Amino acid sequence: MKTIIISAIFTLVMASSPGFAGDVIGRHDLSNDRGLVRVRSVDGNKMAVDIIFAPRNGKVVVLTGVFADYNPQAQKAVYSEDRFCPDALKLTFQNNGKVVLHQAACAAF
């Protein structure tokens, strides 16, 4: 129930915030209703995204205007925080509009 409420609140914030205004290629929900991913642009193998998700530890993570390495054949993207955590988030885009997100143990969210 708590996750559903957090998801609903942040969906409203993202939809109404001017920081999120602009062209959006796609909006995808994370599996298990843990958040959402908005794809801003795809240029070759670089994807600009906004990500809001609630990890299992109860925090809410908001990443706006970040870039991920994208593989269009596999429909997978990898967001890197820094050189010490090169695969902080792995995103797998599914055909049903959902995204499966895997958070690396080294991610400092």
Side-chain angles (χ1 to χ4, degrees):
M1 182 68 175
K2 181 179 177 182
T3 305
I4 294 171
I5 292 171
I6 290 172
S7 240
I9 290 170
F10 283 102
T11 300
L12 290 173
V13 168
M14 283 187 73
S16 62
S17 173
F20 291 97
D23 295 335
V24 175
I25 292 176
R27 181 189 174 283
H28 307 273
D29 294 321
L30 292 178
S31 59
N32 298 328
D33 294 324
R34 290 178 44 213
L36 58 95
V37 174
R38 295 179 90 178
V39 177
R40 296 275 179 189
S41 66
V42 177
D43 185 19
N45 289 342
K46 286 290 182 191
M47 174 185 282
V49 293
D50 299 327
I51 305 169
I52 289 185
F53 71 102
R56 301 279 181 224
N57 62 10
K59 296 180 185 177
V60 175
V61 177
V62 180
L63 301 170
T64 59
V66 298
F67 291 92
D69 293 320
Y70 179 62
N71 180 346
Q73 283 79 26
Q75 293 187 349
K76 294 183 179 183
V78 177
Y79 166 72
S80 298
E81 261 189 290
D82 57 36
R83 64 186 174 102
F84 298 111
C85 192
D87 55 354
L89 294 176
K90 292 181 181 178
L91 300 101
T92 303
F93 294 86
Q94 299 178 331
N95 291 334
N96 63 359
K98 297 273 186 185
V99 175
V100 178
L101 185 140
H102 296 282
Q103 181 179 352
C106 61
F109 300 124

